[in-house]
């Protein structure tokens, strides 16, 4: 089955520790994204990558880092510089269709920093 | 940046009712997305539409490009339709890769 996997579903970390969230897709999509979701707010873009070895900052990139060494993988590191890291993190990938860019989402990782 | 407003924020319905969720945006777009998020958190893309109307089962999405407005309708609602419905549009500035998301409408359908 083609899709996007994120692991783990729930993640707990102590304050001050860096943590890396995994995102893998087997859809052969060129572009991948990381979003953050907080209660009562819309999804906000952290980073996105349109192609391997290239990525751009989104609206809330501070305190986060990414890499895109392989087409199918786009891991997100939440660093200790992120002031409020507890949130739900969603990974997505996309293809270009006639009407525009269609995005597909993973199941998400809920990160809690204690 | 495109601004997106969804209404209502919360909606409670009885099984079988006809549901309408609205979305307005501020800047002209190429296509609008309707997404569904279930309690577990995963998001599913329902529709991507650039004009007129699309239908999938009991779900219907319409868009009025001139008025910068879209609606999502659910006919004969069912408790399994209970979810958060999210509208998203491309940011202004030409890049369809970056989306602006509404805050979502929480729909609860009671049996």
């Amino acid at each position: 089955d083609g899709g996007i996997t994120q692991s783990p579903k729930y993640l707990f970390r102590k304050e001050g520790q860096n943590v890396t969230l995994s995102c893998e897709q087997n859809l052969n999509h060129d572009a991948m994204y990381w979003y953050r979701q907080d209660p009562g707010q819309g999804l906000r873009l952290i980073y996105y990558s349109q192609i391997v070895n290239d990525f751009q900052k989104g609206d809330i990139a501070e305190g986060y880092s990414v890499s895109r060494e392989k087409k199918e993988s786009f891991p997100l590191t939440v660093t200790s510089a992120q002031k409020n890291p507890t949130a739900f993190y969603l990974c997505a990938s996309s293809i270009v269709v006639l009407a525009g860019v269609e995005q597909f989402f993973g199941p998400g990782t809920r990160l809690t920093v204690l | 940046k495109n601004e997106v407003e969804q209404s209502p924020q919360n909606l409670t319905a009885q099984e079988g009712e006809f549901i309408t969720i609205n979305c307005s945006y501020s800047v002209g777009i190429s296509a609008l997305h309707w997404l569904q998020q279930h309690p577990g958190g995963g998001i599913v893309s329902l529709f991507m539409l650039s004009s007129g109307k699309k239908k999938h089962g009991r779900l219907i999405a319409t868009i009025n490009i001139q008025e910068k407005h879209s609606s999502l309708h659910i006919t004969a609602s069912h408790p399994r339709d209970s979810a958060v419905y999210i509208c998203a549009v491309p940011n202004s500035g030409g890049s369809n890769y970056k989306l602006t998301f509404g805050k979502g409408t929480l729909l609860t359908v009671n049996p």
Side-chain angles (χ1 to χ4, degrees):
Chain A
D1 276 314
I4 302 172
T5 56
Q6 292 185 244
S7 59
K9 191 166 177 65
Y10 299 95
L11 190 53
F12 297 87
R13 278 295 181 270
K14 289 184 180 177
E15 196 172 339
Q17 288 182 335
N18 290 357
V19 59
T20 297
L21 279 58
S22 161
C23 177
E24 304 278 330
Q25 54 101 357
N26 60 4
L27 300 167
N28 200 33
H29 290 171
D30 286 318
M32 296 186 74
Y33 311 74
W34 274 106
Y35 294 98
R36 172 182 170 135
Q37 188 178 38
D38 295 283
Q41 294 200 42
L43 273 71
R44 292 183 290 169
L45 181 64
I46 303 172
Y47 269 98
Y48 69 108
S49 166
Q50 290 179 242
I51 199 164
V52 174
N53 293 323
D54 186 49
F55 48 82
Q56 287 80 40
K57 291 182 179 180
D59 300 317
I60 55 165
E62 187 175 344
Y64 299 98
S65 66
V66 293
S67 63
R68 187 86 188 277
E69 295 174 4
K70 298 186 296 182
K71 187 176 187 177
E72 54 272 16
S73 178
F74 191 39
L76 172 75
T77 297
V78 185
T79 75
S80 55
Q82 168 49 234
K83 292 189 175 67
N84 187 16
T86 294
F88 187 58
Y89 292 87
L90 282 152
C91 177
S93 66
S94 70
I95 53 168
V96 177
V97 296
L98 196 60
V101 177
E102 184 168 9
Q103 294 196 16
F104 298 82
F105 291 84
T109 292
R110 192 167 298 278
L111 173 65
T112 302
V113 175
L114 307 168
Chain B
K1 186 177 175 178
N2 221 331
E3 302 291 331
V4 179
E5 292 287 335
Q6 280 187 243
S7 63
Q9 277 187 289
N10 293 283
L11 183 54
T12 300
Q14 288 301 121
E15 184 172 355
E17 285 185 5
F18 181 82
I19 304 292
T20 296
I21 299 169
N22 296 299
C23 175
S24 297
Y25 52 93
S26 57
V27 179
I29 57 170
S30 56
L32 178 144
H33 305 253
W34 279 104
L35 311 167
Q36 181 191 56
Q37 185 172 32
H38 275 283
I43 291 179
V44 173
S45 177
L46 297 174
F47 295 103
M48 181 177 168
L49 69 165
S50 53
S51 64
K53 179 167 118 175
K54 281 192 175 180
K55 185 174 191 286
H56 185 243
R58 294 179 295 105
L59 272 61
I60 303 165
T62 62
I63 188 167
N64 184 320
I65 296 292
Q66 286 74 32
E67 295 187 4
K68 299 186 180 64
H69 180 269
S70 176
S71 293
L72 177 68
H73 306 285
I74 305 175
T75 62
S77 59
H78 190 276
R80 65 174 173 265
D81 297 324
S82 298
V84 175
Y85 292 85
I86 301 168
C87 166
V89 298
N91 281 0
S92 57
S95 171
N96 287 330
Y97 285 93
K98 295 176 73 173
L99 297 177
T100 298
F101 295 81
K103 293 182 180 178
T105 295
L106 174 60
L107 172 65
T108 304
V109 182
N110 294 318

